[in-house]
Structure formats: C-alpha cells, structure tokens
C-alpha cells in the first residue's frame, strides 16, 4: 500500500498522518486553516491574508523608495518600529523549540534533545514513497556528475552583479563556519557545533583548545609579531589540531580557532583580525548592520538593537537547520584568482598559503579583497576547487531525503513554481531542468536554489532570501547576549565595552587593528 502523505496533501502547515492503509488525515491545529487538507482559512485569517503584502511587494518596497527610507532611517522611533517588524516577521517563520530531525517524518523529542543533530524545518520524504521526491518526477534522480557538468562547472567567471566584494565572500565563509560544522564521519545529519554565534571559530571548539589558544595575559589570545604586525601563533606554539586540504610546510602552519582556516588566506585574515580584536557582541552588530545590510541591498538601514524584542513573544534558543546549511553553500562567490597588492594569485596559489597575508600585510590584503569582485551565485559558476563540494552536497540532499524546492517555498510563504520557466526565467535552463527532473514538483532543493532567477537588484533569488532571512535573524537575535539579562553594559565590562559593541563596524574592526592608514574595507567594490 502507498503512503498517501507522499503527495503532501496537507496545505498551510497542516501535518499529514496516514490512516489505515488507504487514507490520510491532516492535523490543522493552530494553522488558522481547516478542511480535509487545511485548505480553507478561518474568517480572521482570510482578512489577514488579504491585507498581507507578498514577499515580492515587501522586497520592492525595501529596495526602492529612496526618499521614504531616507526619512525613516533618520527617525529613531520609525526605524526601531520597522526593525522590530523585521525581527518578528522573520523569526516567527522558524519553529522554536525545534521540530524535526532526520530520522523520522514526524516530530520526536530527539529533535529537541539530541543536539548532535541538525534540525530540519521540513521532515524527510517518507522512505516508502514511489519517487525520491514523493510522487512527482522520475523514479531515479539525475546522475550527479552529469548534473554538475551541465549546470555547475564554471567555464568563464561570472561576476556578482551588485558588486559584492571578495571581502564579503570570505566573511560569509569565516562567519558561518562557527555554526555549520557537519560531523561527516557520523553522517550528513550530524554536527559538532554549538548551534549559534558562539565564536568557537576564534576561541576554539572546546575548553581544551581555548586554553591552548589563550595567552592568559590581559584576556588576549596567543600571538606572534612578524613584520611589525600581530599574527596568530604557529602550530608548534599552540597545539590545536588543524586540517589541511593538501600538505603544508611546518612554518606555514598556524594555530587557529577553526581547523579549516589555515586553508585559505582570506580565512586566515579574518582569524587574525578577530584575534587582534576579540569581542563577541561586535560580531552580531557587524553581521546585521554591515553584512546583512549589503546582502539585502535594502534602502532601509538595518539596526541591531536587542531591546526591540523585549516584551515580545520570542524564544532565546536556536538550532541550526540542515536546510540552512545547504542553502549557505555559496561557493560560486569565490573567484578563480585574486589580485593582492598588484600581484596576481590563482586559487591554487592561495590554497594552504596563509603566509600571503603576512607577506602583503593586513592593510594591503583587506584593501585588495575589498576591490575585487565576488562571483555570482548562479548556474555554471562553481570554480574548479569547489566542484566536489557541490557534488557531495547534492548527494547529501538525497541521502537526507530533503523535500523538493516547491515544498520549501510553500513553507516559507512563497508561491510554488508552476513551470521550469517560472523558476529560472531562462528558456535554455528551463529545458535542461525539465530533461533532468520531468516535473517542477520534483526539483531538488539546492539545484532549485541555484537555478532560480535572481531578484531585481539582489544577490540571490527569492527562496534563498525568504528562507535564509528567517534562519539568520533567529540565529542572531536568539543569541543569549541579546536576552534581557545579558543585554546591559555590565555584561560587556561597563559602558565603555557596551559602547564598543554598539558602534562596531567592519571598517572599524580592521582600521582600529591596523597601524597604517585605514585601507578600503568594503563588502561592495567601490565605484
Ligand atoms: Mn566551503 C564546506 C571548500 C568557500 C560555505 N567547503 C566545505 C567543504 C570544503 C569546502 C572542502 C567540506 C565539504 C565536503 O567535504 O564535501 N569552501 C571550500 C573552498 C572554498 C570554499 C576550497 C573557497 C575556495 N564555502 C566557501 C564559501 C562559503 C562556503 C565562500 C560561503 C558561505 N562550505 C560552506 C559551507 C560548508 C562548506 C556552509 C558546509 C560546512 C559544514 O557543514 O561543515
């Protein structure tokens, strides 16, 4: 007998239950919908839906209307009001406490208590379904090598259209590696991180590593001076385990908070600047007001102010979701080569070569990355060294039985796509995808995300933003330092420390830790 839940009959967040052998039931509890498939809104929900602007309307409001935002940005009460809406609307999309894990298509307590699992926003496709995606599409998914050769491999570099810099790409990688930590030996559903912004990528994964990295003087991390600048210690002077993707000479091995960060100069650069700075509250401030600000391209000036959530119903707990990890695979943002202080380096020259940062110096390095364009997040734009990463990712999506993109669109209040052309906005690509999947309802998660048409004036398509936004806002604002008992000057050593957090910017982070004149520090290539 077939599992009737394989066709995802329950709408609007209703939960599907099999009933006997040839029936199903939808649990519509607290969805504001009723009916066999939770398809009918209650009267008050109908009015709310009618008044509610679509994600596209909101996006257009935020990226346009310069005059309006110039006014709002300068009226603290209005700016705070709008920002509170951003916090609550985004984080309300995330289940908290977490609901699903990878082993069951229904809620289990393990999803909450087993913190070695990534959580899942949507449960896995039931194993007994007729096709890998449920009932839609072919019985066998496209061959990963064929798929990647056709849709992922970069032939000619495509620059990111809104002018995102390579400084941004490395920030993304550096920042997110503190909480995307797959424990691949156990399997792609396992992780070894702390489910949030815990700064383990600077201080080390546990107390043991932290003690090795700390100098126990003035609260500072161990450091060494080379060419008149401070850099992380060599591995022989702080024996935390590092992992390199190819062999490295001993004198190029540095002790860093994250075992991967010796592999790329851009990561070593961020590791070094945070070692010089070391303050946790600043990260969230910089991520919201510089990093997400750039990413959103909003004319509204985003604000980091945890007190806006005080008194609101909001859970100060976070769990990293598998889907968040998958959608954050932004490898196309990496260019194939870099110009540092006028010298050209290929990615091959860059790999396992952190010494380049010391050689050119912090100022030149950050200046050069700021002036260099990132790659576009789109098809056929994965550089040579990241092709295997995306192959693994797609394979993991399959073993984990991620639901198709359209189900995620519905979960995050987006209209499911009706055709391949609507997804891609491109006839050639639509044709290719149709050959691979046969049915728009069977497009895999990551493949759908990267083939989705870009929004006007944006880095990504709709789905990445409408999913990534909620995970990101929830993860940042649910951090304990944002909670009422923590968010006060005494937690930061008094008003001086609190003030540092409240005025932090990416530019200050670099410039106040560089002795020379302030270089260009920008997530957007100037000019
Ligand atoms: Mn990247 C995982 C290489 C840039 C985001 N990345 C991995 C893995 C490798 C890797 C290897 C391990 C996965 C596997 O073994 O299958 N990544 C690179 C290289 C570059 C790179 C060589 C640059 C060149 N990565 C980036 C950038 C981002 C990013 C830029 C943007 C945020 N990478 C990820 C994420 C993971 C990952 C997210 C998953 C990490 C985890 O789950 O542990």
């Amino acid at each position: 007998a077939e599992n009737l839940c394989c066709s995802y009959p329950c709408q609007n967040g209703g939960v599907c239950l099999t009933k006997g052998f040839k029936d199903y039931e939808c649990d519509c509890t607290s969805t504001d919908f009723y009916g066999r498939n939770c398809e009918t809104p209650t009267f008050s929900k109908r009015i709310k839906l009618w008044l509610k602007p679509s994600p596209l309307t909101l996006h257009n409001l935020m990226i346009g209307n310069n005059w309006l935002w110039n006014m709002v940005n300068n009226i603290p009460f209005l700016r705070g009001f709008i920002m509170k809406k951003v916090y609550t609307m985004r984080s309300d999309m995330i289940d908290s406490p977490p609901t699903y894990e990878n082993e069951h298509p229904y809620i289990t307590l393990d999803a909450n208590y087993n913190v070695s699992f990534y959580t899942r926003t949507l449960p896995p496709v039931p194993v007994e379904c007729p096709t890998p995606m449920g009932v839609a599409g072919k019985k066998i998914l496209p061959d990963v090598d064929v798929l990647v050769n056709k849709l992922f491999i970069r032939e000619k570099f495509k620059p990111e259209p809104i002018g995102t810099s390579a400084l941004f790409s490395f920030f993304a990688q550096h920042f997110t590696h503190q909480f995307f930590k797959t424990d691949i030996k156990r399997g792609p559903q396992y992780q070894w991180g702390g489910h949030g912004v815990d700064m383990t990528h600077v201080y080390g994964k546990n107390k043991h590593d932290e003690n090795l990295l700390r100098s126990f003087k003035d609260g500072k991390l161990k450091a060494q001076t080379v060419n008149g600048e401070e850099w992380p210690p060599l591995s022989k002077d702080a024996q935390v385990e590092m992992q390199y993707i190819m062999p490295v000479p001993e004198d190029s091995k540095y002790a860093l908070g994250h075992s991967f960060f010796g592999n790329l100069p851009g990561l070593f650069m961020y590791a070094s600047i945070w070692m010089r700075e070391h303050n946790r509250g600043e990260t969230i401030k910089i991520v919201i007001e510089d990093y997400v600000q750039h990413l959103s391209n909003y004319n509204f000036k985003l604000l980091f102010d945890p007190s806006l959530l005080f008194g609101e119903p909001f859970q100060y707990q976070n769990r990293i979701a598998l889907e968040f990890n998958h959608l954050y695979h932004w490898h196309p943002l990496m260019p194939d080569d870099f110009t540092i202080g006028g010298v050209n380096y290929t990615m091959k020259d860059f790999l396992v070569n952190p010494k380049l940062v010391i050689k050119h110096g912090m100022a030149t390095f950050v200046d050069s990355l700021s002036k260099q364009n990132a790659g576009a997040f789109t098809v056929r734009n994965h550089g040579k060294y990241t092709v295997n990463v995306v192959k693994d990712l797609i394979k993991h999506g399959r073993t984990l039985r991620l639901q198709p993109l359209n189900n995620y669109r519905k979960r995050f209040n987006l209209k499911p796509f009706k055709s391949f052309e609507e997804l891609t906005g491109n006839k050639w690509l639509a044709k290719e995808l149709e050959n691979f999947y046969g049915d728009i309802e069977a497009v895999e998660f990551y493949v759908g995300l990267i083939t989705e048409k870009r929004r006007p004036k944006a880095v990504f398509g709709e789905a990445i933003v409408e999913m990534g936004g909620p995970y990101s806002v929830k993860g940042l604002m649910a951090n304990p330092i944002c909670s009422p008992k923590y968010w006060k000057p005494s937690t930061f050593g008094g008003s001086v420390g609190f003030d540092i957090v409240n005025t932090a910017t990416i530019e200050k982070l670099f410039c106040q830790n560089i002795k020379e004149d302030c270089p260009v520090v920008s997530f957007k290539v100037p000019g």
Side-chain angles (χ1 to χ4, degrees), residues 118 168-174 176-177 179-184 188 190-192 245 258 260 263-264 267 291 324-335 338 347 351 385-386 388-393 396:
Y118 284 115
F168 180 92
S169 315
F170 281 117
F171 190 99
Q173 188 182 14
H174 178 266
T176 60
H177 273 54
F179 49 76
F180 293 139
K181 293 177 161 179
T182 302
D183 193 345
I184 200 67
Y190 290 101
Q191 67 92 43
W192 51 279
I245 57 183
H258 192 294
F260 187 80
N263 287 305
L264 283 160
L267 298 173
Y291 174 86
F324 190 30
N325 182 334
H326 278 230
L327 77 77
Y328 231 118
H329 277 64
W330 295 352
H331 295 90
L333 265 61
M334 276 295 158
F338 300 87
M347 183 58 85
L351 291 174
Y385 293 95
T386 61
N388 284 327
V389 183
V390 73
K391 283 187 184 173
D392 283 348
L393 183 72
H396 293 160

Side-chain angles (χ1 to χ4, degrees), residues 374-391:
F377 186 81
T378 188
V379 288
R380 295 189 162 179
N381 209 25
H382 269 76
K384 196 158 76 194
Y385 293 95
T386 61
V387 169
N388 284 327
V389 183
V390 73
K391 283 187 184 173

Side-chain angles (χ1 to χ4, degrees), residues 147-159:
L147 193 66
V148 168
N149 285 340
K150 190 127 245 174
L151 298 182
F152 289 84
I153 289 179
R154 173 186 285 160
E155 275 151 24
K156 189 172 180 297
F157 174 72
K158 298 177 191 164

Side-chain angles (χ1 to χ4, degrees), residues 225-277:
T225 302
V226 187
N227 302 340
E229 288 194 275
E230 277 200 304
W231 302 101
L234 287 169
S235 282
K236 67 175 172 59
D237 298 319
Q239 296 182 354
V240 297
E241 193 184 316
M242 299 299 288
Q243 268 158 1
Y244 297 95
I245 57 183
M246 47 181 99
V248 200
E250 281 307 306
D251 68 350
S252 291
K253 289 184 174 169
Y254 296 88
L256 308 169
H258 192 294
S259 58
F260 187 80
F261 288 178
N263 287 305
L264 283 160
L267 298 173
F268 180 77
M269 176 199 71
Y270 277 112
S272 304
I273 206 75
W274 282 113
M275 174 218 74
R276 294 182 195 179
E277 178 72 20

Side-chain angles (χ1 to χ4, degrees), residues 30 44 63 105-106 143 163 229 236 266 276 363 465 495:
S30 69
S44 70
I63 61 163
Y106 44 83
D143 181 83
E229 288 194 275
K236 67 175 172 59
R276 294 182 195 179
V465 179
S495 60

Side-chain angles (χ1 to χ4, degrees), residues 21-194:
F21 287 111
K22 32 180 184 293
D23 202 7
Y24 70 91
E25 202 174 3
C26 294
D27 183 351
C28 313
T29 306
S30 69
T31 60
D32 290 338
F33 289 82
Y34 61 94
R36 172 151 166 85
N37 296 326
C38 316
E39 71 283 2
T40 315
T42 60
F43 180 70
S44 70
K45 184 67 180 181
R46 194 182 301 268
I47 293 172
K48 278 188 213 148
L49 285 174
W50 184 68
L51 291 171
K52 195 170 137 186
S54 73
L56 182 63
T57 307
L58 284 176
H59 173 73
N60 287 332
L61 176 74
M62 302 299 264
I63 61 163
N65 308 291
N66 236 311
W67 57 272
L68 169 78
W69 296 120
N70 280 340
M71 180 188 73
V72 171
N73 292 341
N74 289 302
I75 304 174
F77 161 77
L78 279 179
R79 188 177 171 210
F81 176 81
I82 305 264
M83 200 60 208
K84 187 198 275 199
K85 283 273 166 221
V86 173
Y87 291 156
T88 53
M89 285 169 66
R90 291 297 194 193
S91 52
D92 281 353
M93 298 297 302
I94 304 301
D95 295 331
S96 188
T99 44
Y100 297 104
E101 34 72 3
N102 202 62
E103 320 276 286
H104 308 86
Y106 44 83
I107 288 182
T108 66
L109 270 181
D110 232 24
N112 181 69
Y113 288 112
N114 189 341
V115 294
S116 2
F117 282 135
Y118 284 115
T119 186
R120 289 182 65 142
T121 299
L122 289 179
V125 177
V127 280
E128 63 275 22
C129 292
T131 71
M133 290 289 128
V135 295
K138 307 184 177 181
K139 292 242 186 256
I140 295 173
L141 286 166
D143 181 83
V144 174
D145 291 321
V146 176
L147 193 66
V148 168
N149 285 340
K150 190 127 245 174
L151 298 182
F152 289 84
I153 289 179
R154 173 186 285 160
E155 275 151 24
K156 189 172 180 297
F157 174 72
K158 298 177 191 164
E160 201 294 303
I162 75 163
T164 301
S165 68
L167 190 72
F168 180 92
S169 315
F170 281 117
F171 190 99
Q173 188 182 14
H174 178 266
F175 168 67
T176 60
H177 273 54
Q178 74 188 294
F179 49 76
F180 293 139
K181 293 177 161 179
T182 302
D183 193 345
I184 200 67
K185 284 196 201 91
R186 291 180 79 186
Q189 69 271 45
Y190 290 101
Q191 67 92 43
W192 51 279

